[in-house]
Amino acid sequence: MSQYFPAAVPRFLFCLLVFILAFCQGSSRAGAESSRGPAAPVVVAPVEERVVALTLELVGTAVASRTSRVAAEVAGLVKTINFKKGGLVTSGAALVTLDKTSQRLALKASQAVLAGTNIRLDKARQDLERSASLKKAQTISVQNYERDIFTVRTLEQEVARAQTEVTRLTDRINRMVVRAPFTGSIIEQHTEVGQWLHAGAPVVTLMDLSFIKVRVLLPERYLDEIKVGSLARVTFDAFKGDVFKGQVSVIIPAAAEKSRNLPLEVSLPNSDGSIKAGLLARVSLSGSPRQARLIPKDALVLNKGKATVFVIRGKAVFPVPVRTGEAHGQ
């Protein structure tokens, strides 16, 4: 099949000449044919109208849908490591456990303080009830009654403070187990048993491969053709013959200053985790179908960046400038 180019040409029936120069020479010098031999053959072809769609081939790289450098929330000594590098962990799984001994002792002390303060508060409330009864009978002074009220309110504040400390220590102990924020694969291990971790120190690098994003660069001239949601076919050199279906999920609205390319991401499911981050990907994108006029590529006459075709009108031949689009066919 010949390769065809869309061309903007007048809308009438005509044929295209490939070697029009030879034709013109043969027509104007017909009398000299006998001395110069037969004229060069002229090839003609009709203009075809078809529904076509842009097919764009781009090369990119597979990256994980998300990657997180999981860190310790509180300081502590690493007691156990519950993962293997390269292994899969589920969301919420314990990755690292810090030594909780001192925090548990502090929690017991705070719980004892809370219990003692509650006992004192219960006693103060009983005293206040008796004081209220005596005040009604006018057998107690107002000053003693108000003192009992003040005692109850003071102990209530102490109970609140003690309860807050118990809650704080409980939360700290819970945070001494570093858990996976999502299901993924352990890519890097950043700590060992016996290491002291400061708050914010990295523990592991976790990568989610349940979805893959393929990053490519889209030339600016195709921005009107390719949209978010456009379907894509993706192949990987690592998987011969396998074709993966995805769609354009992101087009970054900032072109590179020199190349004028826009970063584009194609998302595709990877539930079995077979596609790994960093693989070379070949992405095939399709634009919206449209009506186009097609001519053989050999009919184009290119001169100084301008394209021309020769057309037949009756018995005359005329050059017609055209604007070419993307090639279709072979």
Side-chain angles (χ1 to χ4, degrees), residues 58-65 207 209 211-216 234-240 242 244 266 268-270 272-283:
L58 300 173
V59 177
T61 303
V63 296
S65 59
M207 182 177 287
L209 293 172
F211 268 82
I212 286 292
K213 295 184 292 186
V214 177
R215 291 179 179 169
V216 298
V234 183
T235 60
F236 297 90
D237 289 359
F239 306 106
K240 301 298 182 181
D242 292 340
F244 301 86
V266 172
L268 56 151
N270 185 37
D272 60 356
S274 59
I275 305 173
K276 312 302 180 185
L279 294 183
L280 178 69
R282 303 183 187 276
V283 179

Side-chain angles (χ1 to χ4, degrees), residues 48 142 161 179 205 221 225 236 264 297 303 327:
E48 297 184 22
V142 174
R161 283 194 295 272
R179 299 184 181 277
T205 298
R221 64 182 180 274
E225 293 281 351
F236 297 90
L264 176 148
K297 66 177 181 179
N303 184 23

Side-chain angles (χ1 to χ4, degrees), residues 211-289:
F211 268 82
I212 286 292
K213 295 184 292 186
V214 177
R215 291 179 179 169
V216 298
L217 294 176
L218 178 70
E220 64 174 342
R221 64 182 180 274
Y222 300 119
L223 188 57
D224 285 341
E225 293 281 351
I226 306 301
K227 305 294 184 182
V228 172
S230 296
L231 298 180
R233 298 171 70 254
V234 183
T235 60
F236 297 90
D237 289 359
F239 306 106
K240 301 298 182 181
D242 292 340
V243 178
F244 301 86
K245 295 181 179 180
Q247 65 179 17
V248 177
S249 56
V250 175
I251 299 177
I252 303 299
E257 196 169 318
K258 292 184 178 180
S259 66
R260 307 301 177 187
N261 294 332
L262 294 97
L264 176 148
E265 291 182 358
V266 172
S267 296
L268 56 151
N270 185 37
S271 57
D272 60 356
S274 59
I275 305 173
K276 312 302 180 185
L279 294 183
L280 178 69
R282 303 183 187 276
V283 179
S284 177
L285 299 171
S286 297
S288 302

Side-chain angles (χ1 to χ4, degrees), residues 33-75:
E33 287 183 358
S34 59
S35 60
R36 297 191 178 185
V42 175
V43 179
V44 296
V47 173
E48 297 184 22
E49 289 203 15
R50 296 185 198 167
V51 175
V52 298
L54 168 71
T55 299
L56 183 61
E57 302 291 337
L58 300 173
V59 177
T61 303
V63 296
S65 59
R66 52 181 170 172
T67 302
S68 175
R69 201 174 192 190
V70 184
E73 295 185 71
V74 298

Side-chain angles (χ1 to χ4, degrees), residues 2 4 13-19 42-48 294-299 309-312:
S2 298
Y4 288 86
L13 295 178
F14 59 82
C15 292
L16 302 172
L17 294 181
V18 178
F19 301 107
V42 175
V43 179
V44 296
V47 173
E48 297 184 22
L294 304 178
I295 61 175
K297 66 177 181 179
D298 291 334
V309 295
F310 288 88
V311 301
I312 297 176

Side-chain angles (χ1 to χ4, degrees), residues 119-135 140 144-149 151-152 155:
I119 292 173
R120 291 166 55 202
L121 177 60
D122 289 342
K123 177 65 169 58
R125 284 172 174 167
Q126 292 174 3
D127 292 342
L128 179 59
E129 289 178 3
R130 284 194 294 269
S131 295
S133 299
L134 294 174
K135 182 176 178 296
I140 188 176
N144 289 338
Y145 174 70
E146 291 178 347
R147 185 183 64 231
D148 290 342
I149 293 176
T151 301
V152 169
L155 289 173

Side-chain angles (χ1 to χ4, degrees), residues 14 46 64 79 82 117 157 181 189 219 238 249 275 289:
F14 59 82
K79 187 174 182 180
N82 309 309
T117 307
Q157 292 298 317
Q189 177 178 338
S249 56
I275 305 173

